[in-house]
């Protein structure tokens, strides 16, 4: 019999997964080292690619990610936000990126800026909160400002607050505007707007002679441990789906597989909790196994990528629309000058699924082409903002969608006219 959960029970169910990783982290790193590791995570620059498993240790990274996710769930609960697909997506996104870029200190000024925007327009913060949560992709800029040499600590604190608040204030209108450009065919909409904001800010920094050095901090050698940890969680998701709604589960899941997944889709509202949990578990297993089969590493950034896929399994992604995109990236690796299991291409593989709606709407061939193009664009646009936008593939995906969608539609339109009486 189909089971329904209260709002409180739903939040507690969501809180299980960050709590799970906090507990796991306590077993994977001596507790005496976790606090010092967390301090290192807060102090270190954290633009792409900075793996917190290396900076602070696995336990500290899981504690950082788990605490942030639990705090934000508490904020959502206290604001009386009803759980929908975006609640799940934002929490998985926050958790995943808190393993390689977001920490318990650098996200808050951006959220404060979003709050001030809502206050300025005399509306509830609830209208913009998810945009703010996604917009913490720019949190490395806050940490970078605190690293400025030659400035006193009070000045650095003031600048970090001013820049963070400014970012949060412009995020809502800009995110609304850029959505019309790609028309929902890139799921990481705030990643696109964040890329624009980061380009402007970093250009200002460079005008004053302030530049960040590129970095690659990448954990290796823990694939077996993380396979067990992640596999257990994804299995729990699938089993929970059967417990919640065994009778209608597969029928509802089939409906999800038929969706294009265009931005604005909410599988939780459309089909309920059980099929969403099943979709999350299946997609999580698929992404994890793909990383392992291709010889990649399970670490902070790749687990973040896997959880991005898992999170968006509530708001647009499913096996049929992510697989063509990812296969397109893999095919690109055969013809281009990089290996798919290198760090940046591996992240491009996982985060390229922002373009899942293209495959869902226009078919497998379009999906393969989107993945092929995305792999090149994503590996090159970071130079615009010194990798300060954690949602690098969101910016790249917006560009690819803006390029592809009008062309595909024009080809379709010509075919439609060719079948009718209209001259070409």
């Amino acid at each position: 019999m189909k089971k329904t959960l209260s709002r409180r029970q739903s939040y507690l169910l969501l809180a299980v997964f960050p709590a799970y990783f906090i507990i796991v982290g306590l077993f994977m790193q001596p507790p005496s080292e976790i606090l010092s590791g967390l301090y290192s995570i807060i102090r270190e620059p954290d633009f792409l690619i900075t793996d917190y498993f290396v900076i602070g240790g696995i336990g500290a990274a899981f504690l950082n990610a788990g605490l942030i996710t639990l705090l934000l769930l508490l904020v959502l609960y206290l604001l009386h936000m009803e759980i929908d697909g975006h609640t799940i997506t934002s929490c998985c996104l926050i958790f995943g990126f808190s393993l390689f870029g977001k920490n318990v200190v650098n996200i808050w000024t951006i959220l404060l800026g979003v709050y001030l925007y809502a206050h300025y327009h005399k509306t509830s913060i609830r209208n913009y909160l998810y945009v703010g949560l996604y917009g913490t992709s720019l949190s490395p800029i806050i940490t970078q400002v605190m690293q400025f040499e030659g400035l006193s600590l009070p000045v650095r604190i003031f600048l970090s607050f001013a820049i963070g608040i400014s970012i949060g204030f412009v995020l809502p209108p800009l995110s609304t505007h850029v959505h019309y450009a790609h028309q929902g065919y890139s799921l990481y909409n705030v990643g696109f707007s964040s890329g624009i904001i980061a380009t402007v800010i970093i250009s200002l920094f460079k005008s004053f002679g302030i530049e960040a050095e590129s970095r690659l901090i990448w954990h290796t050698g823990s694939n077996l441990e993380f396979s067990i940890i992640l596999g257990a969680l994804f299995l729990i998701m699938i089993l929970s789906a059967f417990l919640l709604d065994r009778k209608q589960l597969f029928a509802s899941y089939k409906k999800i597989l038929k969706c294009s997944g265009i931005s604005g889709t909410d599988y939780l509202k459309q089909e309920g909790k059980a099929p969403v949990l099943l979709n999350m578990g299946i997609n999580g297993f698929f992404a994890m196994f793909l990383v392992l089969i291709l010889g990649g590493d399970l670490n902070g950034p790749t687990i973040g990528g896997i959880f991005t896929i898992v999170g968006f399994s509530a708001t647009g992604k499913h096996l049929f629309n992510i697989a063509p995109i990812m296969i397109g990236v893999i095919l690109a690796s055969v013809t281009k000058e990089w290996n798919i299991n290198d760090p940046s291409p591996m992240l491009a593989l996982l985060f390229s699924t922002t373009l899942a709606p293209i495959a869902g709407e226009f078919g497998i061939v379009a999906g393969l082409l989107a993945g092929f193009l995305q792999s090149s664009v994503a590996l090159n646009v970071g130079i615009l903002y010194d990798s300060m936008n954690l949602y690098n593939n969101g910016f790249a995906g917006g560009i690819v969608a803006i390029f592809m969608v009008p062309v595909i539609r024009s080809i379709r339109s010509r075919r439609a006219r060719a079948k009718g009486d209209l001259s070409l």
Side-chain angles (χ1 to χ4, degrees):
M1 183 177 179
K2 188 173 181 178
K3 297 178 176 64
T4 57
L5 299 176
S6 67
R7 177 173 168 273
R8 181 172 176 272
Q9 289 172 327
S10 297
Y11 271 100
L12 287 174
L13 181 63
L14 262 180
V16 167
F17 98 85
Y20 168 79
F21 281 102
I22 291 175
I23 295 169
V24 167
L26 293 174
F27 285 97
M28 298 194 72
Q29 185 178 6
S32 59
E33 297 178 7
I34 288 180
L35 289 180
S36 61
L38 187 61
Y39 181 68
S40 297
I41 286 172
I42 293 169
R43 284 182 56 86
E44 274 282 328
D46 38 29
F47 49 91
L48 295 173
I49 301 172
T50 303
D51 191 338
Y52 285 168
F53 287 167
V54 178
I55 298 297
I58 295 172
F62 279 153
L63 178 64
N64 176 65
L67 283 177
I68 293 175
T69 309
L70 289 174
L71 283 171
L72 292 175
L73 280 172
L74 178 62
V75 170
L76 293 171
Y77 182 78
L78 293 177
L79 287 173
H80 303 287
M81 300 280 285
E82 292 296 328
I83 287 184
D84 59 14
H86 289 289
T87 313
I88 296 172
T89 300
S90 61
C91 287
C92 288
L93 224 62
I94 287 290
F95 178 86
F97 280 90
S98 295
L99 299 175
F100 70 112
K102 302 179 183 182
N103 61 55
V104 291
V105 171
N106 67 9
I107 66 171
W108 301 107
T109 55
I110 295 174
L111 293 173
L112 177 59
V114 175
Y115 169 78
L116 292 176
Y117 178 84
H119 181 73
Y120 176 79
H121 286 281
K122 296 181 172 58
T123 187
S124 172
I125 180 61
R126 292 185 295 180
N127 295 333
Y128 304 108
L129 188 55
Y130 290 130
V131 172
L133 295 180
Y134 297 143
T136 53
S137 62
L138 295 173
S139 56
I141 295 177
I142 311 304
T143 306
Q144 187 65 22
V145 172
M146 292 299 296
Q147 307 288 329
F148 285 172
E149 296 180 358
L151 298 177
S152 65
L153 181 60
V155 172
R156 281 180 282 157
I157 292 175
F158 171 77
L159 283 175
S160 67
F161 265 81
I163 292 172
I165 290 171
S166 299
I167 289 171
F169 197 87
V170 302
L171 261 172
L174 189 57
S175 296
T176 300
H177 181 75
V178 300
H179 183 271
Y180 292 105
H182 59 75
Q183 300 177 47
Y185 286 94
S186 175
L187 292 174
Y188 310 161
N189 180 60
V190 177
F192 188 35
S193 58
S194 294
I196 295 172
I197 294 170
T199 300
V200 173
I201 293 175
I202 299 306
S203 296
L204 287 171
F205 285 179
K206 290 180 177 179
S207 299
F208 290 97
I210 302 169
E211 294 195 40
E213 297 180 3
S214 60
R215 57 166 34 191
L216 174 58
I217 301 176
W218 188 262
H219 178 84
T220 61
S222 299
N223 281 6
L224 177 60
E225 296 93 325
F226 290 136
S227 296
I228 296 171
I229 293 167
L230 295 178
L233 181 64
F234 299 147
L235 183 60
I236 290 171
M237 289 178 178
I238 293 172
L239 293 177
S240 299
F242 279 96
L243 290 175
L244 284 171
D245 185 12
R246 187 180 306 173
K247 187 176 180 180
Q248 299 295 327
L249 182 59
F250 286 111
S252 299
Y253 179 61
K254 286 179 181 178
K255 292 179 182 178
I256 288 177
L257 293 176
K258 293 178 181 178
C259 289
S260 67
I262 197 166
S263 180
T265 300
D266 189 335
Y267 297 143
L268 193 66
K269 286 185 176 179
Q270 293 172 5
E271 305 299 337
K273 296 180 178 68
V276 167
L277 279 170
L278 180 63
N279 193 39
M280 292 168 69
I282 290 174
N283 291 349
F285 270 122
F286 176 75
M288 181 182 73
F289 285 140
L290 201 56
V291 170
L292 295 173
I293 290 169
L294 294 172
D297 300 299
L298 291 176
N299 54 25
T302 56
I303 292 175
I306 291 169
F307 268 101
T308 300
I309 292 174
V310 170
F312 274 95
S313 297
T315 53
K317 296 182 183 181
H318 54 71
L319 195 58
F320 287 178
N321 65 8
I322 65 173
I325 305 293
M326 300 176 87
I327 294 171
V329 176
I330 295 170
L331 292 175
S333 70
V334 177
T335 62
K336 300 179 183 180
E337 296 182 347
W338 39 261
N339 296 317
I340 190 63
N341 54 10
D342 290 339
S344 294
M346 184 55 64
L347 293 184
L349 172 72
L350 294 168
F351 291 110
S352 65
T353 51
T354 180
L355 295 170
I358 291 181
E361 178 73 18
F362 302 116
I364 293 175
V365 174
L368 293 172
L369 180 58
F372 190 92
L373 294 176
Q374 174 75 1
S375 65
S376 293
V377 178
L379 295 181
N380 288 284
V381 295
I383 194 173
L384 293 173
Y385 38 74
D386 285 347
S387 299
M388 291 289 177
N389 175 24
L390 293 175
Y391 302 165
N392 181 62
N393 274 267
F395 184 59
I399 294 173
V400 173
I402 291 171
F403 172 76
M404 284 191 65
V405 172
V407 174
I408 293 173
R409 284 181 170 171
S410 70
I411 293 172
R412 282 190 164 189
S413 177
R414 188 181 187 282
R415 286 176 178 172
R417 291 187 178 190
K419 294 175 182 178
D421 298 326
L422 294 176
S423 65
L424 300 179

